Amino acid sequence: MTFPVRAITLDLDDTLWPIAPVIVHAERALGDWLREHAPRTAQRWPAEAMRTLRDQIAAEHPHLAHDFTHQRKLTLERMLREAGDDTALVAPAFEVFFNARCEVRHYDDSVAALERMAARLPLAALSNGNADLQRIGLMHLFRFQLGAREHGEAKPAASIFHAACARLDCEPQHVLHVGDDIELDVVGAHRAGLRSCWINRLDEAGRRREWPHAGLRPDLEFDTLAALADWLDAAQTPDTAAA
């Protein structure tokens, strides 16, 4: 399939890098810091208990579903308070966690593919997560980063897609949204009027996920960002890009 693309929005977590090992690393860094600076909290809240509390906080504050940063800080505040430690430690504890959260390991193809795409079209990051592209070292490839926390609503809400299109000065039908999540990225982009590309990477067993919706398909599906960059090189001639 070939169609004009004037700009690209990209999801981050599990699209540019796997998020599960990043969170494990960040929680480990936080645990090490707490053992030194708030040992009662570290003892009261080992990693598994901290994850359970994090989920509980999210359930208690559904209005913060778009704001992982606030949820994490509320979790830290309760951990410290219930353990009898100083809640003033929330800010430095979160900074330790967040620094480690931004120490991502990209998929092998991600950075080179982003460089190729950024040389051809404007890129914008569109994420429900709270990764910081400046700290990660990728911000120079993007026009801007729009997170659910800053916008006030998370994908798949159409408003966050439309806000990105407005900042790109493009009509939604000329913007390609790229992401791994079926509902948040592909279905959300489709319903907002954008083109969609599903990054359906192989799992550890070498299998791809099956598409679950009979009446809706992504415009594009690739197992790497490199394959998308190849498609752009082949499909986006100057005539089609300007159409």
Side-chain angles (χ1 to χ4, degrees):
M1 177 183 292
T2 301
F3 48 84
V5 177
R6 294 181 179 172
I8 294 176
T9 56
L10 289 117
D11 175 57
L12 299 178
D13 295 331
D14 287 330
T15 297
L16 305 188
W17 53 74
I19 188 57
V22 173
I23 297 302
V24 170
H25 168 64
E27 290 176 342
R28 186 177 295 123
L30 174 60
D32 291 344
W33 188 89
L34 288 172
R35 277 186 284 277
E36 179 178 354
H37 298 277
R40 288 177 295 187
T41 299
Q43 182 176 13
R44 170 70 178 82
W45 300 101
E48 192 58 42
M50 182 167 52
R51 293 186 197 112
T52 299
L53 178 61
R54 168 71 170 71
D55 292 341
Q56 180 182 334
I57 293 290
E60 291 174 1
H61 300 275
H63 62 290
L64 296 177
H66 65 287
D67 192 343
F68 293 164
T69 293
H70 198 166
Q71 289 181 13
R72 180 68 64 177
K73 287 179 177 179
L74 287 175
T75 302
L76 287 168
E77 182 180 4
R78 187 173 299 182
M79 288 167 56
L80 290 160
R81 186 175 63 249
E82 292 191 3
D85 284 321
D86 188 354
T87 57
L89 293 174
V90 167
F94 178 78
E95 186 64 17
V96 168
F97 173 87
F98 192 60
N99 274 334
R101 189 257 186 270
C102 292
E103 293 172 354
V104 302
R105 290 191 176 184
H106 306 289
Y107 292 116
D108 290 343
D109 63 289
S110 292
V111 176
L114 286 173
E115 290 171 343
R116 290 169 61 193
M117 290 189 285
R120 179 178 288 280
L121 294 166
L123 307 183
L126 193 60
S127 176
N128 284 0
N130 59 355
D132 184 336
L133 289 178
Q134 197 68 49
R135 297 194 193 202
I136 290 169
L138 291 179
M139 197 64 238
H140 64 288
L141 297 174
F142 290 82
R143 292 287 181 88
F144 60 86
Q145 177 176 2
L146 179 59
R149 179 172 185 256
E150 293 74 27
H151 176 68
E153 238 183 330
K155 296 179 296 184
S159 67
I160 191 169
F161 291 102
H162 291 162
C165 292
R167 289 180 65 175
L168 289 163
D169 195 24
C170 290
E171 294 297 323
Q173 67 268 24
H174 294 144
V175 177
L176 177 68
H177 180 70
V178 181
D180 72 290
D181 193 280
I182 292 169
E183 302 301 328
L184 303 183
D185 291 310
V186 181
V187 176
H190 174 82
R191 290 177 176 167
L194 285 71
R195 295 285 190 167
S196 62
C197 175
W198 184 30
I199 301 300
N200 185 14
R201 294 185 181 273
L202 300 176
D203 64 16
E204 293 181 357
R207 297 170 300 196
R208 294 185 182 88
R209 290 170 289 166
E210 294 293 326
W211 182 256
H213 299 296
L216 183 156
R217 294 286 309 181
D219 293 294
L220 301 169
E221 178 184 344
F222 299 112
D223 57 12
T224 64
L225 282 179
L228 170 59
D230 290 342
W231 178 87
L232 286 167
D233 286 344
Q236 299 303 299
T237 65
D239 288 342
T240 59

